[in-house]
Structure formats: structure tokens, C-alpha cells
Amino acid sequence: MTVKFLLLYISVLLFFSCASQGIASGGPADKEGPILISVQPPNETLEIVPNQKITLSFNELLDPVSIPAAITLAENYKVKVRGRRIIIIPDKTWPENQMLNIKLSRKIRDYQKNIMVKPIQLTYSTGAPIP
């Protein structure tokens, strides 16, 4: 019985001495809002196709609840949020020979409730020129 007790005692000591004791630091606190890093197709693209998806990629995960109210666009559209990306899709098709003016307010935020530093405005044309 003493051999079993000794083995149990050694096992318990090894188990508790291996793990780090205390709270994990996790790094510095996130105090900055999301930053737009890329847009596809690029801003001011001409002759986009009628069913063109517009994808905005950010540097961190977005709070999907903040997105719908932060986008202003005169046309009918749908919004999908996929982690760090916002995808804007026409409800059916974008209107022919028209300008699309997409405004994103600063209200877009990350999961730590940090909002963007500045609003974003994107312009596209379904025709050749941008007036």
C-alpha cells in the first residue's frame, strides 16, 4: 500500500508542477477599431458586372450586429459578414449605367466594441464613366 501511495503522491506533484500557475496575460488590450485593408473590386472601378460582389477585408474580426446599420447605399442590396470580411451583393442586379455610392459609417466595430477611426466611401460605375 505504501508503494501505491508513493506513486500517487509523485504523480500529483508532477501534474501540478508542470502547468503554469496563474492567469494568462493574453497580450496588450485591443483599443483600436477595425481597419480596412483591401477592397475587391478596387474603389472607382468602371463597368462592374450586374451581379458583382463587393468584398471589404479588415484587419480583425467584425461584430456582425454593427454592420447593417453602418452601410448606406441607394440600391437594394444584401450584406454578408464572414469574420473579417463584409460582402455586399446586389439584391438582383446593379442598375445599368449608374453610379454606386457606398458609404460605411464609423459605427462598424470589432468584438471589443472599438469603432473605426474614419468613415469609408466607395464609388463604382456599372457604365463606362464615373460622372
Side-chain angles (χ1 to χ4, degrees):
M1 182 139 167
T2 52
V3 173
K4 288 183 182 179
F5 179 74
L6 185 59
L7 287 175
L8 179 63
Y9 180 73
I10 291 173
S11 298
V12 169
L13 281 176
L14 285 174
F15 178 75
F16 284 111
S17 66
C18 291
S20 174
Q21 302 295 321
I23 299 171
S25 65
D30 180 10
K31 295 184 180 184
E32 293 184 8
I35 298 170
L36 181 66
I37 55 174
S38 72
V39 179
Q40 285 299 326
N43 189 24
E44 299 182 356
T45 297
L46 303 176
E47 298 178 337
I48 63 171
V49 295
N51 60 348
Q52 176 72 53
K53 293 179 184 178
I54 299 168
T55 304
L56 297 92
S57 298
F58 289 82
N59 68 331
E60 61 183 319
L61 294 174
L62 302 171
D63 180 1
V65 175
S66 71
I67 308 300
I71 298 174
T72 305
L73 175 59
E75 312 306 326
N76 292 329
Y77 65 95
K78 298 175 191 171
V79 175
K80 293 182 181 180
V81 180
R82 300 284 187 259
R84 300 171 191 249
R85 295 181 299 145
I86 298 174
I87 304 167
I88 302 172
I89 306 164
D91 196 22
K92 293 182 182 173
T93 60
W94 299 121
E96 290 183 35
N97 296 316
Q98 296 283 326
M99 264 187 58
L100 299 177
N101 192 10
I102 303 170
K103 295 178 183 174
L104 295 112
S105 76
R106 291 186 57 217
K107 295 178 185 175
I108 293 176
R109 63 181 184 243
D110 60 18
Y111 280 106
Q112 286 71 38
K113 308 293 185 217
N114 300 313
I115 62 172
M116 294 193 316
V117 174
K118 60 183 180 176
I120 299 167
Q121 183 167 339
L122 304 169
T123 305
Y124 297 96
S125 176
T126 56
I130 292 183

